[in-house]
């Protein structure tokens, strides 16, 4: 028989009440603060001002120009048409042209979508309203559509205007999904937006720009002609793009006199594959902060290097003490990664190995990812081996493994599944790619994944067994010095037996010139406020424009 004592029962009941109490409390709190939450309460809004828009209006004199946005020349060219329209609406009206009402700017976070919209407002000298899509969705029914109405009314009454809705996916998700009866608040909000845009005519000098990093989930109506019929995609910048973005953000910094901005920008661009504009802006600022912390009178190259490392790896935790045994394990684990990487042709160039505990782990082997869009099977296999190098070294040197390889194993598994399921690289499954597990294929897929990972493990084990001495050397060095750079690796193991790319010039070789903006469309050249207004005093901003 089960005997339930009363005490625990009571406390259990009380505990189950806690969420309810919290919910009631937060509702009361929200009602007192008004639906707009903390941000708006300062402006004295209460419960009944539900319709008021939360959009922030940046009045004229926005000091962002096209020259401040680098590395996305095609996008600038597209946006320029809207700028022209806002500046000379008559030119279009006279010709009877219908102006597109809006553009959807898509791209990963931090690639400059907001910046581009702001620059458009700056160039057109019109005010700029910005609002986040999620701000329309509140817990009170009807708030979203009311806010949309308000915002558009505000824009219409004060036209010309640029209206920027960031994260439009919050309201623009596909309609008619997962609801039983009635429309959701989100759908109503989206409908209201479409209705408002429908009311535009060729005399409405309002341009609506919207940003999202999830174009795949958007309702198709949004991108039909008549609404956001222009789509502008901004991808993460390539090496040339990064170099021009660096030039923009190096401008305000006081650099050491030995540094030339152009050369530095190119060098840093080569060191930062995968970085977005926001990351780059972060690197430049972080470098200046590091310089200040070291009381340096100017920012030096090493400060940039430290800033990049910090952004890739997170903060070093110098205070965290590792037990000697753990430290040895970490050293040999990282040495395993480094040695495997050194002797496999297709893995990325090694930059640095460290066993100083850092933000997200105990040690790391940092590589310079190559600028690459397509990978061969061989390359993926080499990468898997390098990722397994840590675990194999532990097994080989200590005869036992630790939990330290979890992240490596996760990546290996992901890569293997992707190769088999998405890239059609398994002979047994054939040339197929699917997103969802296929009925009846699960067993075969698992088998193939296991086969692939075992093959990679065996190859890595063979390699490290042959190079055991090297692992010892690198491991011992790490134990003693904690950090190992590429030059130290050359000293310990001799030069890497493969050619490597590392400079800007090597990376851009064969991609159409060394210059960052050779692809700059003719229409954009000289697109500069200073020149336009005949003001020769004003310096041309940036080199690209
Ligand atoms: P998003 O809206 O795409 O998330 P933001 O426009 O907010 O990105 O970018 C954040 C910051 O990153 C900008 O204020 C700017 O300093 C920097 N940045 C991003 N992209 C670029 C770019 N293409 N050129 C120059 N700076 C950029
Ligand atoms: Zn590892």
């Amino acid at each position: 028989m089960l005997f339930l004592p009363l005490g625990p029962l009571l406390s259990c009941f009380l505990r189950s009440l806690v969420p309810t109490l919290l919910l009631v409390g937060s509702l009361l709190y929200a009602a007192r603060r008004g639906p707009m939450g903390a941000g708006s309460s300062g402006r004295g809004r209460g419960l009944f001002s539900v319709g008021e828009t939360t959009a922030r209006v940046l009045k004229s004199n926005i000091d962002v120009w096209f020259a401040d946005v680098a590395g996305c020349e095609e996008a600038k060219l597209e946006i320029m048409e809207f700028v022209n329209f806002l500046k000379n609406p008559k030119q279009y009206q006279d010709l009877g042209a219908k102006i597109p009402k809006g553009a959807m700017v898509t791209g990963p976070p931090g690639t400059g979508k907001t910046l581009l919209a702001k620059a458009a407002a700056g160039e057109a000298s019109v005010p700029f309203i910005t609002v986040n899509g999620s701000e329309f969705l509140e817990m009170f029914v009807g708030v979203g559509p009311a806010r949309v109405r308000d915002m558009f009314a505000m824009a219409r009454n004060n036209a010309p205007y640029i209206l920027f809705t960031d994260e439009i996916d919050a309201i623009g998700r596909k309609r008619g999904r997962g609801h039983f009866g009635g429309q959701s608040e989100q759908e109503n909000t989206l409908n209201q937006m479409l209705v408002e845009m429908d009311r535009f005519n060729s005399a409405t000098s309002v341009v609506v720009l919207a940003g999202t990093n999830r174009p795949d989930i958007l309702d198709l109506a949004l991108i039909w002609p008549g609404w956001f019929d222009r789509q502008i995609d901004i991808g993460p910048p390539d090496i040339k793009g990064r170099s021009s973005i660096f030039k923009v953000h190096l401008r305000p910094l006081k650099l050491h006199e030995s540094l030339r901005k152009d050369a530095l920008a190119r060098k840093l661009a080569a060191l930062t594959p995968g970085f977005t504009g926001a990351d780059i802006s972060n690197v430049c600022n972080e470098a200046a902060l590091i310089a200040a912390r070291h009381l340096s009178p100017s920012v030096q190259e090493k400060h940039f290097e430290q800033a990049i490392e910090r952004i890739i790896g997170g903060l070093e935790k110098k205070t965290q003490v590792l037990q000697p045994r753990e430290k040895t394990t970490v050293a040999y684990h990282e040495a395993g990664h480094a040695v495997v990487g050194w002797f496999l042709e297709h893995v990325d160039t090694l930059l640095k190995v460290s066993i100083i505990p850092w933000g997200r782990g105990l040690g790391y082997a940092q590589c310079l990812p190559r600028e690459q869009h397509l990978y061969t099977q061989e390359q993926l296999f080499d990468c898997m081996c390098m990722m397994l190098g840590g675990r194999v070294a532990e097994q080989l040197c200590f005869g036992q493994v630790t939990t330290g390889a979890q992240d490596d194993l996760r990546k290996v598994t992901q890569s293997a599944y992707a190769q088999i399921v998405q890239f059609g690289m398994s002979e047994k499954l054939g040339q197929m790619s699917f997103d969802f597990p296929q009925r009846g294929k699960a067993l075969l897929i698992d088998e193939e994944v296991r086969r692939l990972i075992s093959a990679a493990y065996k190859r890595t084990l063979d390699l490290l067994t042959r190079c055991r001495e090297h692992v010892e050397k690198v491991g011992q060095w790490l134990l003693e010095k904690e950090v190992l750079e590429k030059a130290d690796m050359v000293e310990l193991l001799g030069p890497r037996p493969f050619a490597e790319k590392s400079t800007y010039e090597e990376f851009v070789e064969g991609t159409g010139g060394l210059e960052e903006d050779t692809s700059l469309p003719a229409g954009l050249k000289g697109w500069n406020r200073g020149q336009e207004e005949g003001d020769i005093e004003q310096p041309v901003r940036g080199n690209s424009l």
Side-chain angles (χ1 to χ4, degrees):
M1 199 180 117
L2 203 63
F3 176 71
L4 287 178
L6 205 61
L9 247 189
L10 194 64
S11 82
C12 184
F13 169 70
L14 281 181
R15 226 176 299 141
S16 73
L17 258 187
V18 168
T20 321
L21 289 177
L22 272 180
L23 183 66
V24 170
S26 60
L27 270 172
L28 283 175
Y29 178 75
R32 279 191 37 194
R33 300 212 68 175
M36 268 70 81
S40 58
S41 60
R43 279 172 262 157
R45 289 178 181 152
L47 184 57
F48 299 105
S49 59
V50 286
E52 257 176 86
T53 170
T54 53
R56 284 164 302 282
V57 181
L58 303 180
K59 281 278 181 229
S60 42
N61 59 38
I62 295 171
D63 58 348
V64 179
W65 317 100
F66 276 157
D68 299 316
V69 192
C72 49
E73 306 308 323
E74 297 81 5
K76 275 197 250 178
L77 197 67
E78 279 288 317
I79 290 278
M80 215 171 74
E81 184 162 28
F82 291 97
V83 175
N84 267 332
F85 161 62
L86 288 171
K87 288 185 112 172
N88 320 302
K90 202 158 170 316
Q91 181 193 348
Y92 293 80
Q93 287 153 10
D94 285 352
L95 290 171
K98 267 206 214 99
I99 287 296
K101 294 167 186 171
M104 181 77 67
V105 190
T106 58
T111 45
K113 299 182 291 294
T114 314
L115 190 71
L116 189 65
K118 231 186 245 174
E123 296 283 355
S125 334
V126 301
F128 178 71
I129 305 185
T130 159
V131 66
N132 192 297
S134 59
E135 287 172 44
F136 290 116
L137 303 179
E138 301 275 353
M139 58 181 136
F140 297 98
V141 175
V143 175
R147 279 193 188 156
V148 169
R149 240 183 343 260
D150 271 15
M151 184 176 76
F152 275 87
M154 181 161 92
R156 261 196 313 270
N157 296 337
N158 299 287
Y161 242 113
I162 287 187
L163 219 156
F164 179 68
T165 313
D166 203 1
E167 297 182 24
I168 185 117
D169 43 287
I171 51 171
R173 215 165 299 151
K174 290 192 179 73
R175 287 170 294 183
R177 266 211 199 157
H179 288 287
F180 301 101
Q183 281 179 324
S184 72
E185 174 77 352
Q186 177 236 319
E187 292 185 1
N188 290 332
T189 309
L190 174 58
N191 286 338
Q192 189 64 40
M193 185 146 196
L194 297 176
V195 167
E196 294 291 341
M197 287 180 76
D198 219 23
R199 287 169 61 190
F200 284 14
N201 56 39
S202 52
T204 320
S205 299
V206 176
V207 165
V208 191
L209 303 176
T212 179
N213 50 11
R214 295 296 311 275
D216 51 314
I217 58 168
L218 288 183
D219 197 290
L220 283 181
L222 275 172
I223 47 177
W224 279 339
W227 286 293
F228 294 96
D229 39 13
R230 297 287 163 95
Q231 274 206 61
I232 302 173
D233 192 45
I234 313 188
D238 61 5
I239 188 165
K240 291 182 184 179
R242 290 196 302 275
S243 170
S244 22
I245 299 176
F246 263 114
K247 280 187 202 164
V248 169
H249 291 282
L250 286 176
R251 250 186 261 156
L253 300 188
K254 189 178 166 209
L255 298 179
H256 189 260
E257 64 227 358
S258 67
L259 292 175
R260 276 189 45 239
K261 278 202 172 103
D262 284 14
L264 181 65
R266 287 181 174 183
K267 190 158 186 195
L268 295 174
L271 289 178
T272 48
F275 276 41
T276 61
D279 294 327
I280 290 174
S281 141
N282 212 350
V283 166
C284 292
N285 194 49
E286 194 67 38
L289 292 179
I290 292 172
R293 204 174 304 144
H294 292 107
L295 304 177
S296 165
S298 58
V299 191
Q300 300 167 22
E301 198 169 325
K302 63 172 190 223
H303 298 140
F304 286 100
E305 280 160 12
Q306 286 167 18
I308 292 173
E309 262 167 36
R310 183 164 169 170
I311 283 166
I312 293 179
L315 270 186
E316 283 182 353
K317 290 191 213 147
K318 293 219 161 136
T319 48
Q320 186 166 335
V321 181
L322 282 187
Q323 297 303 320
R325 208 188 145 79
E326 278 179 341
K327 197 169 166 182
T328 315
T329 309
V330 176
Y332 278 73
H333 177 106
E334 298 306 334
H337 284 307
V339 171
V340 173
W342 200 251
F343 292 110
L344 291 184
E345 180 171 4
H346 299 296
V347 297
D348 304 330
T349 310
L350 185 82
L351 267 187
K352 181 179 171 182
V353 189
S354 158
I355 59 163
I356 302 174
W358 56 291
R360 273 170 270 158
L362 296 179
Y364 62 83
Q366 181 192 346
C367 293
L368 188 63
R370 38 184 96 189
E371 202 94 15
Q372 194 171 347
H373 303 285
L374 295 174
Y375 291 85
T376 64
Q377 214 168 342
E378 222 184 344
Q379 287 166 340
L380 293 174
F381 194 59
D382 275 5
C383 291
M384 280 173 60
C385 292
M386 167 141 183
M387 288 187 265
L388 286 170
R391 151 99 11 152
V392 172
E394 287 180 41
Q395 173 74 46
L396 198 66
C397 302
F398 309 114
Q400 60 179 11
V401 294
T402 65
T403 51
Q406 185 204 357
D407 194 49
D408 298 333
L409 294 180
R410 197 173 45 82
K411 286 187 200 143
V412 168
T413 316
Q414 267 173 3
S415 170
Y417 267 102
Q419 287 174 56
I420 306 279
V421 178
Q422 288 164 2
F423 307 147
M425 287 177 172
S426 146
E427 260 175 37
K428 281 206 184 138
L429 269 123
Q431 322 298 323
M432 285 204 289
S433 170
F434 25 82
D435 288 333
F436 306 105
Q438 289 281 299
R439 209 173 260 248
K441 296 262 191 274
L443 258 180
L444 185 56
I445 291 175
D446 286 348
E447 221 170 73
E448 285 291 278
V449 165
R450 205 165 301 131
R451 184 193 54 78
L452 186 60
I453 297 180
S454 322
Y457 188 86
K458 178 162 184 312
R459 177 162 175 243
T460 314
L461 188 62
D462 287 349
L463 177 74
L464 284 189
T465 311
R466 269 182 281 125
C467 303
R468 172 99 193 239
E469 258 169 68
H470 292 318
V471 181
E472 294 278 348
K473 263 195 229 163
V474 176
Q476 285 303 323
W477 169 290
L478 277 172
L479 271 180
E480 195 182 319
K481 311 217 161 117
E482 299 200 325
V483 179
L484 172 132
E485 313 240 336
K486 193 176 156 195
D488 307 323
M489 202 68 180
V490 176
E491 198 187 310
L492 287 176
L493 310 190
R496 191 168 174 222
F498 312 102
E500 296 185 328
K501 286 183 187 174
S502 59
T503 67
Y504 179 87
E505 285 70 18
E506 284 165 357
F507 277 116
V508 302
E509 200 190 344
T511 60
L514 282 185
E515 271 312 303
E516 280 82 0
D517 293 325
T518 39
S519 59
L520 188 66
L524 261 181
K525 294 204 169 119
W527 180 262
N528 169 284
R529 235 175 91 84
Q531 283 176 7
E532 267 236 328
E533 292 168 3
D535 179 0
I536 20 176
E537 292 299 324
Q538 189 166 342
V540 178
R541 286 159 202 272
N543 304 326
S544 53
L545 291 175

